[in-house]
């Protein structure tokens, strides 16, 4: 089963409209909750008039920050407590100021508009430069200024060593690169339904880690965890933005408790664009030293991250992951890194697909191209000169504890160049350049590595998780069918299918005989959740581990039935056979039924065939690959069109090739979107300019090219399955492949960078400024 391109089990219900999302769930007496959002980016709240809202028929109440003063604050960075609603002041447009509950969503929305909030404006600092200016006003009261965190990632002696390496390098260059702010924009916005009964709260929510949400709700309300049930039903995309602790996760249960009725909150799209946290928004200041062959000798990087108006516990330190991956898949002996997390009057930022690693991959891949341009060398040759070789794996990077697992980076690049017909493209590029009527042609490369398989417990504890392990319970029924309970909670990744394949292989049962259940803390044993490309490297290995134990139990029962030693048995298509005795067989279904008959089992044998396993990874995994993009640019308009996009990915063992292609397609789509289309923008007063999909450019199917996907499989020795993860690889690889292609098309004009997104207007200006 592992390695087979089986259709997804999940798709039938979703494609026929029979999925169950939070907004599909209804409870008797259901009420609806709507926020009153701040219309100011930075202001004192001088008054809130709720009388008109309360007077509307169907309104059950309006609450402000003071009404929740008895609740412990939301999960946050120590010393930087966050409330559920804005109290004395607001920090960004869209921050919740009050909450309304009514009998239906439309009345609640009308009541929210009827609430009058009086503000006393304060100076607005919508950019990092404004927030760090000498006369800047502190935005977030617990902080004396707007520098929330300044972190030297590498020790002073390393920084000194890098400075010496730069001074001694034959060539040096400096650059400033920008990863613009993006919105996750999942198909399903954030949603919560809470029903607090006498037994405690049940919460249905669009979240990525239901057990962790249960733990935080229990802590906030002083409850034992068994009294709190969190269910993540079908989730229409998450991309990291549904891993943050939004205030509705706690306000909906609290209001349900007060009103003794279920309360539902579902974002509108425009709310999502200003309320749910954004991603990226990182400025990168770089100095690199290199020799005449393009070999990088030293790299010094300062990262500046805009974390928005309220520091998120993940967002504030996310640049740590960027720092760890700065070397990419190259042998760079000396790297120094530091970062600053800066508060501004904008929506907070936190995780977004790749969470810090795409920023690192963008940086080093743009640096490689800049070095190539500086030396007049081909970007492919400079990559080859720097790549870590397969014989050097596992590879200890300059950062302690960051050890890459097995990979063949040169093979991935060679396969990509062959599939692209790289030499032929260079010839075509030259022909077009000589013809003033022909669109310009550009070729961009991206040889990347990223972190997956999150992650060993010491690492995951730093992000507030109970551990980095994952759990699986495998239970064989008396008829030989199998139920798997897993602690991850997928949101489109296809865990039902992939984990069924793993279990079926280990147990010798048909793929159709396995059911996978997840996302319900009252049903599933303790779990960690779905993020950081940990589905197959961690959850997959937990399922494998539990299934191996159940298979061993079944073998021992079968041996007793056949009156032989367990080592004398071999697996057949549907059961067990004694070695060398074709007629001495027993079907697995009979073995499963016998496991429930104590009088027919050896004394002391436990009833049933079941095991619960917790798989603790000993290291992160490191998916890698090489992507190539071919673009043409209209000389008159600056319009960029992608002609080809070729992917070579190494995610270790491929569980399901069809699903692997789908994961790559989705990630690449988001990476291309960042490169060409998407940017969350604010005006000088901190007002969002992209608060709907009319203004925020999410590409459709016709805006994206067909993808050419290829896989090489280099098994990881860090886990038994040999899997590395794949969910974030496309988003990590694609932005720089596209930008490198755009810059490559304009290189003859002396262009060395085009800031994302590479819109027609921006490309046209760069072209004409250069010429």
């Amino acid at each position: 089963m592992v390695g087979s391109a089986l259709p997804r089990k999940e798709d039938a219900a979703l494609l026929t409209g029979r999925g169950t999302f939070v907004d599909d769930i209804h409870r008797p007496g259901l009420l609806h909750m709507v926020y009153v959002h701040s219309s100011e980016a930075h202001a004192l709240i001088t008054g809130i008039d709720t009388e008109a809202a309360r007077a509307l028929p169907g309104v059950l109440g309006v609450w402000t920050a003071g009404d929740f003063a008895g609740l412990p604050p939301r999960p946050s960075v120590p010393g930087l407590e966050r409330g559920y609603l804005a109290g004395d002041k607001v920090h960004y447009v869209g921050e919740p100021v009050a909450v309304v509950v009514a009998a239906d969503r439309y009345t609640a929305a009308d009541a929210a508009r009827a609430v009058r909030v009086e503000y006393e404006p304060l100076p607005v600092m919508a950019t990092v430069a404004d927030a760090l200016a000498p006369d800047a006003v502190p935005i977030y009261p617990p902080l004396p200024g707007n520098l929330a965190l300044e972190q030297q990632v590498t020790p002073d002696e390393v920084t000194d060593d890098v400075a010496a390496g730069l001074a001694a390098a034959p060539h040096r260059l400096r650059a400033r690169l920008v990863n613009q702010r993006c919105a996750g924009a999942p198909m399903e916005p954030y949603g919560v339904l809470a029903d607090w009964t006498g037994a405690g709260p049940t919460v249905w929510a669009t979240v990525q880690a239901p057990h962790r949400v249960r733990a935080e709700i229990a802590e906030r309300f002083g409850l034992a965890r068994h009294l709190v049930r969190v269910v993540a039903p079908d989730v229409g995309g998450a991309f990291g933005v549904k891993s943050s602790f939004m205030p509705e996760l706690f306000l909906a249960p609290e209001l349900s408790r007060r009103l003794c009725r279920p309360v539902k909150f579902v974002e509108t799209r425009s709310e999502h664009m200003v309320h749910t946290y954004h991603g990226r928004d990182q400025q990168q200041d770089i100095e690199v030293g290199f020799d005449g062959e393009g070999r990088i000798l030293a790299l010094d990087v300062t990262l500046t991250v805009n974390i928005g108006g309220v520091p998120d516990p993940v967002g504030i330190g996310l640049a740590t992951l960027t720092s760890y991956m700065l070397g990419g898949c190259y042998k760079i002996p000396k790297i120094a890194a530091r970062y600053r997390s800066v508060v501004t009057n904008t929506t907070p930022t936190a995780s977004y697909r790749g969470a810090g690693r795409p920023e690192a991959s963008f940086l080093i891949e743009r640096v490689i191209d800049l070095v190539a341009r500086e030396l007049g060398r081909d970007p492919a040759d400079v990559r080859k000169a720097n790549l870590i070789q397969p014989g050097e794996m596992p590879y200890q990077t300059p950062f302690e504890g960051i050890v890459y697992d097995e990979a063949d980076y040169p093979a991935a690049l060679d396969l990509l160049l062959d599939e692209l017909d790289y030499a032929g493209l260079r010839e075509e590029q030259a022909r077009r350049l000589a013809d003033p009527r022909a669109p310009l042609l550009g070729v961009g490369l991206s040889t990347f590595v990223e972190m997956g398989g999150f992650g060993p417990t010491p690492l995951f504890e730093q992000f507030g998780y109970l551990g980095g392990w994952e759990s699986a319970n495998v239970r064989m029924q008396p008829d030989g069918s199998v139920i798997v309970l897993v602690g991850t909670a997928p949101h489109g990744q296809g865990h039902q299918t992939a984990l069924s394949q793993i279990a079926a292989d280990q147990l010798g049962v048909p793929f159709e005989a396995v059911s996978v259940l997840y996302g319900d803390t009252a049903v599933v044993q303790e779990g960690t959740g779905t993020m950081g490309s940990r589905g197959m490297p961690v959850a997959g290995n937990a399922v494998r581990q539990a299934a191996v134990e159940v298979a061993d139990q079944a073998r021992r029962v079968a041996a007793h039935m056949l009156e032989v030693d367990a080592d004398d048995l071999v697996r057949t298509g549907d059961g067990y056979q004694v070695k060398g005795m074709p007629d001495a067989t027993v079907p697995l279904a009979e073995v499963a039924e016998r496991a429930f008959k104590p009088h027919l089992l050896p004394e002391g044998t436990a009833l049933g065939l079941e095991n619960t396993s917790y798989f603790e990874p000993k290291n992160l995994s490191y998916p890698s690959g090489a992507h190539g993009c071919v673009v043409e640019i209209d000389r008159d308009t600056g319009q960029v069109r992608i002609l080809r996009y070729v992917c070579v990915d190494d995610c270790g063992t491929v569980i399901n090739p069809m699903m692997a292609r789908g994961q790559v397609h989705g990630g690449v789509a988001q990476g291309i979107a960042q490169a060409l289309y998407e940017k969350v923008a604010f005006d000088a007063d901190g007002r969002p300019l992209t608060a709907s999909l009319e203004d925020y450019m999410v590409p459709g199917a016709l805006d994206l090219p067909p993808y050419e996907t290829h896989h090489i499989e280099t098994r990881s020795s860090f886990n038994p399955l040999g899997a590395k993860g794949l969910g974030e690889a496309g988003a990590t690889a694609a932005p720089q492949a596209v930008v490198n292609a755009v810059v490559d098309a304009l290189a003859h004009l002396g262009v060395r960078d085009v800031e994302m997104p590479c819109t027609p207007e921006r490309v046209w200006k760069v072209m004409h400024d250069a010429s």
Side-chain angles (χ1 to χ4, degrees):
M1 288 297 142
V2 169
S4 299
L6 300 175
R8 296 190 348 151
K9 291 184 175 185
E10 297 87 341
D11 289 347
L14 297 175
L15 293 174
T16 56
R18 288 180 288 180
T20 302
F21 300 88
V22 166
D23 207 20
D24 295 319
I25 301 170
H26 298 276
R27 304 287 289 173
L30 182 64
L31 302 174
H32 293 266
M33 162 183 153
V34 170
Y35 284 125
V36 178
H37 294 280
S38 169
S39 59
E40 299 292 323
H42 196 205
L44 297 175
I45 298 174
T46 59
I48 302 179
D49 183 356
T50 63
E51 286 189 19
R54 294 176 189 275
L56 289 176
V59 173
L60 280 81
V62 183
W63 294 264
T64 60
D67 297 312
F68 302 106
L71 286 180
R74 265 197 289 165
S76 185
V77 179
L80 299 180
E81 294 184 348
R82 303 185 297 171
Y84 301 91
L85 300 171
D88 297 333
K89 63 180 292 192
V90 293
H91 310 85
Y92 58 94
V93 172
E95 184 173 11
V97 174
V99 61
V100 176
V101 174
D104 63 79
R105 186 178 299 170
Y106 306 101
T107 299
D110 289 343
R113 283 193 290 270
V115 173
R116 296 288 174 259
V117 184
E118 296 180 1
Y119 298 103
E120 180 182 318
L122 295 170
V124 173
M125 289 140 289
T127 67
V128 165
D130 291 340
L132 295 180
D135 59 347
V137 175
I139 294 171
Y140 195 65
L143 294 170
N146 294 320
L147 188 58
L149 179 63
E150 188 166 21
Q151 186 71 37
Q152 181 72 36
V153 180
T154 47
D156 290 340
E157 58 268 24
V158 172
T159 302
D160 294 341
D161 196 27
V162 169
L166 289 170
H171 302 273
R172 297 166 69 176
L173 65 80
R174 292 181 177 177
R176 170 171 288 181
L177 302 173
V178 176
N179 259 251
Q180 81 274 30
R181 178 179 288 230
C182 295
M187 187 175 294
E188 178 196 23
Y190 216 96
V192 179
L193 191 163
D195 190 2
W196 195 308
T197 65
T202 297
V203 178
W204 294 264
T206 55
V207 295
Q208 299 176 221
H211 286 88
R212 188 182 180 202
V213 171
R214 178 194 65 176
E216 295 294 346
I217 290 174
E219 182 176 339
R220 294 294 159 304
F221 293 104
L223 298 171
R225 294 186 186 184
H226 76 283
L227 297 176
V228 180
R229 181 186 182 190
V230 173
V231 181
D234 288 325
V235 175
F239 313 126
V241 301
K242 291 177 181 174
S243 63
S244 294
F245 290 106
M246 305 305 292
E248 48 268 26
L249 284 173
F250 308 97
L251 291 179
E254 173 63 12
L255 293 171
S256 176
R257 176 168 69 169
R258 295 185 184 192
L259 297 169
C260 300
R261 289 171 67 178
V263 173
K264 180 189 284 188
F265 169 84
V266 176
E267 279 182 327
T268 64
R269 179 60 60 185
S270 57
E271 276 186 300
H272 171 82
M273 297 300 294
V274 299
H275 171 60
T276 295
Y277 296 172
H278 298 149
R280 311 288 192 253
D281 209 342
Q282 185 183 102
Q283 176 183 294
Q284 306 165 335
D285 290 292
I286 305 152
E287 185 170 10
V288 57
F290 50 99
D291 66 16
E293 299 299 311
R295 284 185 289 266
I296 298 178
L297 306 175
L299 179 66
D300 185 87
V301 176
T302 299
L303 307 171
T304 304
V305 186
N306 181 347
I307 61 170
V310 180
D312 178 83
V314 171
I316 195 172
L318 204 57
T320 304
L321 299 182
T322 306
S323 301
Y324 287 162
M325 297 305 296
L326 286 173
C329 49
Y330 306 110
K331 280 189 288 189
I332 303 177
K334 300 175 181 180
I335 302 176
R338 66 204 61 81
Y339 67 84
R340 303 179 297 172
S341 297
V342 183
V343 179
T344 66
N345 291 122
T346 59
T347 305
T349 58
S351 295
Y352 173 56
R353 197 171 192 168
R357 291 99 74 205
E359 295 92 317
S361 190
F362 181 85
L363 183 153
I364 191 59
E365 289 302 289
R366 289 292 297 120
V367 163
I368 290 289
D369 268 37
L370 288 169
V371 167
R373 301 294 175 202
E374 184 75 10
L375 296 173
R377 297 178 65 85
D378 190 284
D381 293 336
V382 174
R383 283 174 170 79
K384 291 179 180 180
N386 285 283
L387 285 173
I388 301 164
Q389 299 301 305
E392 298 173 289
M393 299 298 197
Y395 181 78
Q396 172 62 63
T397 73
F399 295 93
E400 184 179 356
I402 305 300
V403 180
Y404 295 167
D405 51 11
E406 292 77 4
D408 192 338
Y409 304 145
L413 178 57
D414 287 342
L415 178 56
L416 173 68
L417 297 176
D418 287 345
E419 293 295 334
L420 282 170
D421 182 17
Y422 190 69
L425 286 172
R426 288 301 181 198
E427 293 174 1
E428 172 66 15
Q429 183 181 44
R431 284 195 295 270
R432 289 197 184 201
L433 196 56
D435 181 357
R437 296 168 300 176
L440 298 171
L441 188 77
V443 186
L445 304 177
S446 170
T447 313
F448 73 98
V449 61
E450 60 126 348
M451 288 176 173
F454 279 58
T457 291
L459 171 66
F460 239 41
E461 284 179 328
Q462 298 177 37
F463 292 94
Y465 290 86
L466 180 61
W469 42 263
E470 198 47 83
S471 70
N473 172 272
V474 174
R475 185 168 70 245
M476 186 172 286
Q477 304 301 293
D479 64 352
S481 62
V482 177
I483 295 174
V484 176
L485 304 176
V486 66
T488 52
H491 30 272
Q493 292 89 340
H495 286 191
Q496 287 185 47
T497 303
L499 297 178
S500 291
Q501 290 179 255
I502 293 169
D505 259 5
Q506 298 300 324
L507 296 169
V509 301
F511 170 70
E512 298 79 12
V514 183
S515 295
V516 178
L517 306 178
Y518 49 77
D520 187 341
T521 63
V523 175
V524 177
Q525 67 285 341
E526 191 68 41
T528 297
T530 302
M531 70 289 295
S533 297
R534 67 192 308 272
M536 294 307 105
V538 189
N541 276 285
V543 170
R544 179 192 176 278
Q545 194 167 279
V548 165
E549 176 58 32
V550 171
D552 187 58
Q553 295 169 9
R555 177 183 291 272
R556 293 198 297 270
V557 173
H560 178 72
M561 295 172 71
L562 293 169
E563 299 181 341
V564 296
D565 189 84
D567 293 337
D568 293 329
L569 295 183
V570 293
R571 288 263 292 274
T572 62
D574 64 345
Y576 295 92
Q577 172 194 315
V578 179
K579 294 177 184 176
M581 301 176 64
D583 295 331
T585 62
V586 60
L588 182 60
E590 291 184 19
V591 174
E593 184 175 359
R594 176 66 66 91
F596 287 89
K597 297 180 180 293
H599 61 293
L600 298 178
L601 295 174
E603 187 175 347
T605 301
L607 281 183
L609 301 173
E610 180 176 3
N611 180 259
T612 299
S613 290
Y614 292 82
F615 179 77
E616 167 74 10
K618 63 181 180 181
N619 204 339
L620 295 160
S621 58
Y622 292 89
S624 62
H627 286 204
C629 182
V630 183
V631 304
E632 66 176 17
I633 299 178
D634 187 290
R635 296 179 189 242
D636 296 324
T637 66
Q639 179 74 42
V640 177
R641 186 165 76 93
I642 297 178
L643 301 180
R644 292 180 66 195
Y645 194 96
V646 182
C647 321
V648 177
D649 283 276
D650 184 354
C651 64
T653 302
V654 176
I655 308 299
N656 184 314
M658 182 169 61
M659 289 169 52
R661 286 195 298 273
Q663 287 287 291
V664 172
H665 289 187
V668 168
Q670 287 185 282
I672 291 174
Q674 182 178 0
L676 295 183
Y677 302 110
E678 296 186 21
K679 180 180 180 179
V680 173
F682 301 86
D683 67 15
D685 295 321
R687 300 190 185 282
L689 300 175
T690 47
S692 75
L693 296 185
E694 290 182 318
D695 309 305
Y696 186 79
M697 184 63 175
V698 175
L702 297 180
D703 300 309
L704 297 168
Y707 308 117
E708 303 168 46
T709 56
H710 308 273
H711 282 276
I712 57 177
E713 294 188 46
T714 311
R715 286 178 58 90
S716 172
S717 64
F718 292 175
N719 65 76
L721 271 177
K724 300 177 183 177
L726 188 60
E728 295 161 301
T732 302
Q736 60 270 13
V738 178
V739 173
N740 283 342
V742 171
V743 174
D744 183 66
L746 307 178
H748 66 287
L749 299 173
V751 173
R752 292 296 177 262
D753 190 37
V754 179
E755 191 172 309
M756 297 187 291
C758 302
T759 60
E761 178 186 19
R762 181 168 284 168
V763 173
W764 186 90
K765 286 182 177 179
V766 169
M767 291 168 61
H768 284 263
D769 288 347
S771 59

